[in-house]
Amino acid sequence: MATPHMPMRTERSAPTFDPTNPRELRRYFEDLEALLQRCNITDATEKKRYARNYVPVDVADQWEMIPEY
């Protein structure tokens, strides 16, 4: 059996977030967390990297400015 992998940002299976609809942010993180668990990714730094990877670059840049990042 193949080991699950995190999809590339352009793959259909990648989680998505549309910043014009901020109400979907919770769903984005729920989808991302489920995928991270399936792929056995537990390291906080790696999780943050993947969270940024699937959002538009402007959103990713803003998230990097948050001290908790």
Side-chain angles (χ1 to χ4, degrees), residues 12-61:
R12 287 181 93 165
S13 59
T16 59
F17 171 62
D18 177 4
T20 64
N21 191 359
R23 289 182 55 204
E24 291 185 1
L25 186 59
R26 182 183 303 179
R27 185 169 288 166
Y28 165 74
F29 278 110
E30 289 171 352
D31 292 346
L32 178 64
E33 186 60 33
L35 185 57
L36 290 165
Q37 286 177 359
R38 187 178 338 156
C39 295
N40 297 316
I41 295 173
T42 58
D43 179 70
T45 301
E46 197 170 356
K47 286 181 172 186
K48 291 173 188 178
R49 184 175 61 84
Y50 278 114
R52 279 189 64 251
N53 188 53
Y54 298 118
V55 297
V57 71
D58 292 338
V59 174
D61 289 346

Side-chain angles (χ1 to χ4, degrees), residues 7-16:
M8 298 295 291
R9 75 175 58 97
T10 56
E11 290 182 39
R12 287 181 93 165
S13 59
T16 59

